[in-house]
Amino acid sequence: MRLDERKLRILRTIIDDYVMTATPIGSRTISKRSELGLSSATIRNEMSDLEEMGFLEQPHTSAGRVPSEKAYRFYVDTMMNAGALSEDEIAFMRSYFNARMTEAEEVVARTARLLSDLTDYTSMVMSPELNTVIVKHVQLVPVTPGRALAVIVTDAGLVRDSFIAVPSGCTATDLERLSNMVTARVKKMPLHEAVEALNRGAGEEMEEQRSCFTSVADAIAHDISREASRGVVLGGATNLLKHPEYLDFDKASSMLAILETKEQLYRILSKAAKMEFTVTIGSENELPEMQSSSVVTATYKISGKPVGSFGVIGPIRMDYAKVVTVLNQMGITLSAVLTGMLSPEDKK
Amino acid sequence: MRLDERKLRILRTIIDDYVMTATPIGSRTISKRSELGLSSATIRNEMSDLEEMGFLEQPHTSAGRVPSEKAYRFYVDTMMNAGALSEDEIAFMRSYFNARMTEAEEVVARTARLLSDLTDYTSMVMSPELNTVIVKHVQLVPVTPGRALAVIVTDAGLVRDSFIAVPSGCTATDLERLSNMVTARVKKMPLHEAVEALNRGAGEEMEEQRSCFTSVADAIAHDISREASRGVVLGGATNLLKHPEYLDFDKASSMLAILETKEQLYRILSKAAKMEFTVTIGSENELPEMQSSSVVTATYKISGKPVGSFGVIGPIRMDYAKVVTVLNQMGITLSAVLTGMLSPEDKK
DNA sequence: GATTAGCACTCTATGATGACGAGTGCTAAC
DNA sequence: GTTAGCACTCGTCATCATAGAGTGCTAATC
């Protein structure tokens, strides 16, 4: 059977309508709504065909029909035209990030909020991945006699810090000298290489600071490994409850549990970070608990280099066109904001 | 009417039972459960009295009875014996905080998790309040030519940092000098005084670094004001859904919305931080959305100085005795962990 | 040949009805 | 003061009938 122009228009109308109303669509509704000027009987025949082809499903005999996952997949792949946001909307998005923001974490949090507000779905944003980023400078700041703060500055201008223990005999001057030594050691290395370099052990040149040295190495390694659990920020988790598909108690509950632990989300976003866009519909998701939801993701960049991803989670009946449009614009805006914020002097 | 020993025992049995089962308790149940050896008819009379006194309520004529808010209040104030956790449980709690943790934020996150796991309610933990804490040292770390990281070290060993903009002409040495100047200026001041001192403007001694100086002041002020939104960590938000009182959709939804924004929680915890313990039952809560829930909070200390609070949120039908016991022990453990972590050499 | 009107059929949602059971309050007996 | 007994209340649950939405099929129409 061929999927001719008329069938396409009918399918699109059904999808659009169902995305809005979340109730099965009957032939009469389509007959009135679409501009085809066909009677409900004709539509019925077409819908019957579409069902046979796997694009529609009937919850039960006397209900209307509902788009299948295959229909959404088809819609996303070939029918959807992802428009652009209006000037006003883009301006609004920009204005959401004000100049006062100084930390990447803050930008990430705002992004999550904005995404969930704009789409009415739940959003998730992975904070920038720094492994590919290059160490520029390490500074040890004395805190109490026994401890110091290790600040690791990277080329993109992002910063990681963590506490380390130092021998209590260490003076501020010692730390200063140690900072310089460590910096000399790891300068221009990507983070993970820097860890290795430090683990390789202290050279003879810093015999007496050996224990400090290993502390720094440990701290960095620890910091990187911890990233998994802290790297995802959620927005609008309660938006889930706005959609009738989550009225089912167990569904809502298991979904919220997944959102809460964040580890799964981190996995999803990490995987998605490899592609500019991903749309994962229902059973295409790996997690069983997510197979009645859909996930759309996009990536963002700093100075042209992809460093993280973000996305929304919602029911399979999702307004994919709108979501893709918003995510697309958000990727552009977010990349610009981060690039501008972190390296104001080298906007390319 | 007097509240004699027998009435007390009956009331306690009803509360205990209701906390477990969440279903109204009938006279027959009590007659069997309690060791008083009384018939259901007698219990009925007593329950009728208790209802007249305002301790019990009937959802409808032919249901059992349910403790009123007044009953819980009375229970918490006079009947409850907050036991202690067993050695094993305390050991478990301790083991949850391992030695590798270096940042207060991480301890806070673990605490939230642990609290919600132990109680089955939703927990919230406010991260340490540093306003009362004294500035010890300010260090500026160069990041990119145009910006630096201002690290503020306090006497308790806690650290705040934020980015600031600096004139691009500034060299590392300039920053080093500036660090020393700023430190000299604000040393031994509480954070908010330090802000004022910095706002008062640069002295003549640092004419040329004036703009840096105000940047630092701004950054600190900004940092403090931002505390409200980032200072609360949630644990086990989905635990809410475990309790039948939140089966009502609107209730669950509005509650989750409150949890999500966190600002209200910050307000609650700030207020509660003034008292060692608080128990707020149902309509005693200020927020209308929370009047069908209860909140129990406690505080924690660093080196004997109260610096923050934490608590749980659950249905009015809460196991107050257990919650208070857990919070109490958690306060002790958390204080010890933080004190030990941040100033290992001055455990008092 | 495509389209449509008409109609029988299916299935859900809704609301009414009645039996059941849990629990109470009261009275009279112990 | 306590308890057995009983009538009464009220919510829950299952049953049943009805209305309405939607379909598939057939026959008539364009």
Side-chain angles (χ1 to χ4, degrees):
Chain A
M1 203 172 314
R2 268 206 68 246
L3 198 56
D4 57 15
E5 178 61 24
R6 197 169 74 178
K7 283 194 173 57
L8 277 181
R9 286 186 63 174
I10 292 174
L11 182 55
R12 155 167 270 136
T13 313
I14 293 174
I15 292 178
D16 287 350
D17 209 274
Y18 185 64
V19 165
M20 298 288 296
T21 63
T23 45
I25 315 297
S27 53
R28 242 180 80 81
T29 316
I30 299 301
S31 157
K32 280 184 292 181
R33 176 124 3 183
S34 86
E35 274 83 41
L36 289 167
L38 294 171
S39 76
S40 64
T42 312
I43 304 283
R44 262 203 298 285
N45 289 330
E46 295 287 46
M47 284 170 82
S48 179
D49 289 353
L50 284 168
E51 180 169 3
E52 206 178 315
M53 294 161 83
F55 291 113
L56 295 181
E57 286 166 355
Q58 268 186 310
H60 55 264
T61 328
S62 80
R65 283 174 170 97
V66 158
S68 67
E69 287 190 12
K70 183 178 170 188
Y72 290 116
R73 171 50 58 204
F74 185 75
Y75 174 81
V76 167
D77 288 345
T78 70
M79 298 170 68
M80 180 176 73
N81 35 13
L85 292 180
S86 73
E87 284 299 322
D88 285 357
E89 289 168 309
I90 295 176
F92 171 72
M93 199 183 261
R94 284 244 175 73
S95 73
Y96 215 81
F97 301 97
N98 63 46
R100 292 235 43 163
M101 289 187 301
T102 48
E103 283 187 30
E105 290 300 324
E106 207 176 346
V107 175
V108 163
R110 287 240 147 188
T111 304
R113 178 80 189 278
L114 183 52
L115 269 183
S116 63
D117 282 0
L118 287 176
T119 60
D120 261 10
Y121 302 116
T122 300
S123 68
M124 50 186 183
V125 183
M126 192 169 79
S127 50
E129 176 69 58
L130 303 182
N131 278 351
T132 61
V133 131
I134 288 178
V135 177
K136 199 168 147 191
H137 177 174
V138 176
Q139 174 95 36
L140 301 174
V141 180
V143 178
T144 60
R147 32 195 53 224
L149 185 74
V151 181
I152 303 147
V153 182
T154 64
D155 66 343
L158 284 169
V159 166
R160 276 254 110 99
D161 53 30
S162 55
F163 284 99
I164 58 172
V166 293
S168 48
C170 260
T171 67
T173 337
D174 287 341
L175 286 178
E176 189 60 35
R177 208 169 23 176
L178 194 63
S179 300
N180 292 335
M181 288 179 182
V182 172
T183 301
R185 205 33 136 44
V186 299
K187 206 170 177 171
K188 299 205 179 151
M189 289 180 180
L191 263 190
H192 57 276
E193 265 184 42
V195 175
E196 281 169 33
L198 291 172
N199 280 337
R200 230 173 287 133
E204 312 79 46
E205 79 270 27
M206 41 188 109
E207 195 60 49
E208 73 279 21
Q209 275 101 355
R210 188 179 292 271
S211 76
C212 275
F213 201 84
T214 49
S215 293
V216 177
D218 274 13
I220 298 179
H222 183 223
D223 210 51
I224 291 174
S225 70
R226 205 181 45 192
E227 195 154 303
S229 61
R230 55 147 36 177
V232 178
V233 175
L234 270 187
T238 49
N239 276 1
L240 267 195
L241 303 178
K242 287 185 184 167
H243 304 285
E245 16 276 287
Y246 297 100
L247 277 180
D248 175 41
F249 191 76
D250 293 335
K251 229 185 245 179
S253 180
S254 72
M255 199 62 202
L256 286 172
I258 287 191
L259 295 182
E260 197 172 11
T261 59
K262 295 191 182 174
E263 280 174 26
Q264 308 286 9
L265 303 185
Y266 181 80
R267 220 165 292 172
I268 291 171
L269 283 175
S270 298
K271 210 167 179 183
K274 289 171 194 141
M275 277 160 295
E276 189 127 19
F277 274 95
T278 72
V279 178
T280 315
I281 298 169
S283 59
E284 296 170 7
N285 282 290
E286 288 181 5
L287 285 179
E289 297 89 340
M290 296 208 37
Q291 301 196 345
S292 45
S293 301
S294 284
V295 179
V296 183
T297 71
T299 56
Y300 63 94
K301 301 169 186 175
I302 293 180
S303 305
K305 192 192 291 180
V307 289
S309 57
F310 58 98
V312 304
I313 302 177
I316 295 178
R317 172 191 63 84
M318 188 189 272
D319 188 342
Y320 294 97
K322 181 180 167 193
V323 166
V324 168
T325 307
V326 170
L327 287 193
N328 187 31
Q329 184 57 50
M330 184 59 102
I332 296 170
T333 307
L334 183 54
S335 300
V337 167
L338 283 173
T339 303
M341 180 181 114
L342 296 171
S343 30
E345 79 291 348
D346 81 12
K347 280 180 209 169
K348 288 164 194 171
Chain B
M1 203 173 314
R2 271 205 67 245
L3 199 57
D4 57 15
E5 177 63 22
R6 196 169 73 177
K7 283 195 173 56
L8 278 182
R9 286 185 64 172
I10 292 174
L11 183 55
R12 156 167 270 137
T13 313
I14 293 174
I15 292 179
D16 286 350
D17 209 274
Y18 186 64
V19 164
M20 296 289 296
T21 63
T23 45
I25 315 296
S27 52
R28 241 179 82 79
T29 317
I30 299 300
S31 157
K32 280 183 293 183
R33 177 125 2 182
S34 87
E35 275 83 39
L36 289 167
L38 294 171
S39 78
S40 64
T42 311
I43 304 283
R44 259 201 303 283
N45 290 330
E46 295 287 47
M47 284 170 81
S48 180
D49 289 353
L50 283 168
E51 179 169 3
E52 206 178 313
M53 294 162 83
F55 289 112
L56 296 180
E57 286 167 354
Q58 270 186 307
H60 54 265
T61 326
S62 78
R65 284 176 170 96
V66 158
S68 67
E69 287 189 14
K70 184 178 170 188
Y72 290 116
R73 172 50 59 203
F74 184 76
Y75 174 82
V76 168
D77 288 345
T78 71
M79 299 170 67
M80 179 176 73
N81 36 12
L85 293 179
S86 72
E87 284 299 322
D88 284 358
E89 289 169 309
I90 295 177
F92 172 71
M93 199 183 262
R94 284 244 177 72
S95 73
Y96 216 82
F97 300 98
N98 63 46
R100 292 236 42 163
M101 287 188 301
T102 49
E103 283 186 32
E105 290 299 325
E106 206 176 346
V107 175
V108 163
R110 287 238 149 188
T111 304
R113 179 78 189 279
L114 183 51
L115 269 183
S116 63
D117 282 359
L118 288 176
T119 61
D120 261 10
Y121 301 116
T122 300
S123 69
M124 49 187 184
V125 183
M126 191 169 80
S127 50
E129 175 70 57
L130 302 182
N131 279 351
T132 62
V133 131
I134 288 178
V135 177
K136 201 168 146 190
H137 177 175
V138 175
Q139 173 96 36
L140 301 175
V141 181
V143 177
T144 60
R147 29 194 56 222
L149 185 74
V151 180
I152 303 147
V153 182
T154 65
D155 66 342
L158 284 171
V159 166
R160 275 254 111 98
D161 53 32
S162 54
F163 284 99
I164 59 172
V166 294
S168 50
C170 258
T171 66
T173 337
D174 288 340
L175 285 178
E176 189 61 35
R177 210 170 22 178
L178 194 63
S179 300
N180 293 335
M181 287 178 183
V182 172
T183 301
R185 206 29 138 46
V186 299
K187 206 170 179 173
K188 299 203 178 150
M189 288 181 182
L191 264 190
H192 58 276
E193 265 184 43
V195 175
E196 282 169 33
L198 291 173
N199 281 337
R200 229 173 288 135
E204 312 79 45
E205 79 270 27
M206 41 187 112
E207 195 59 51
E208 73 279 18
Q209 275 101 356
R210 189 179 293 269
S211 76
C212 275
F213 203 85
T214 48
S215 292
V216 177
D218 274 11
I220 297 179
H222 184 224
D223 211 49
I224 291 174
S225 69
R226 204 181 44 191
E227 196 153 302
S229 61
R230 54 146 39 176
V232 178
V233 175
L234 271 187
T238 48
N239 277 1
L240 267 195
L241 303 178
K242 287 185 185 167
H243 303 286
E245 16 276 286
Y246 298 100
L247 276 180
D248 174 42
F249 191 76
D250 292 335
K251 228 185 248 180
S253 180
S254 72
M255 198 62 202
L256 286 172
I258 287 190
L259 294 182
E260 197 171 12
T261 59
K262 295 191 181 175
E263 280 173 26
Q264 309 286 8
L265 303 185
Y266 182 80
R267 220 165 290 172
I268 291 171
L269 283 175
S270 298
K271 210 167 179 182
K274 288 169 195 143
M275 277 158 297
E276 189 127 20
F277 274 96
T278 72
V279 178
T280 315
I281 298 169
S283 60
E284 297 171 6
N285 282 291
E286 288 180 5
L287 285 178
E289 297 90 339
M290 295 208 37
Q291 300 197 344
S292 45
S293 301
S294 284
V295 179
V296 183
T297 70
T299 55
Y300 63 94
K301 301 168 186 175
I302 293 179
S303 305
K305 191 191 290 180
V307 289
S309 57
F310 58 98
V312 305
I313 301 178
I316 295 177
R317 171 191 64 84
M318 188 190 270
D319 188 343
Y320 294 98
K322 181 180 168 195
V323 167
V324 168
T325 306
V326 170
L327 287 194
N328 186 32
Q329 183 57 50
M330 184 59 101
I332 295 170
T333 307
L334 183 54
S335 301
V337 167
L338 282 174
T339 303
M341 180 182 113
L342 296 172
S343 29
E345 79 293 345
D346 82 7
K347 280 180 209 171
K348 289 164 194 169

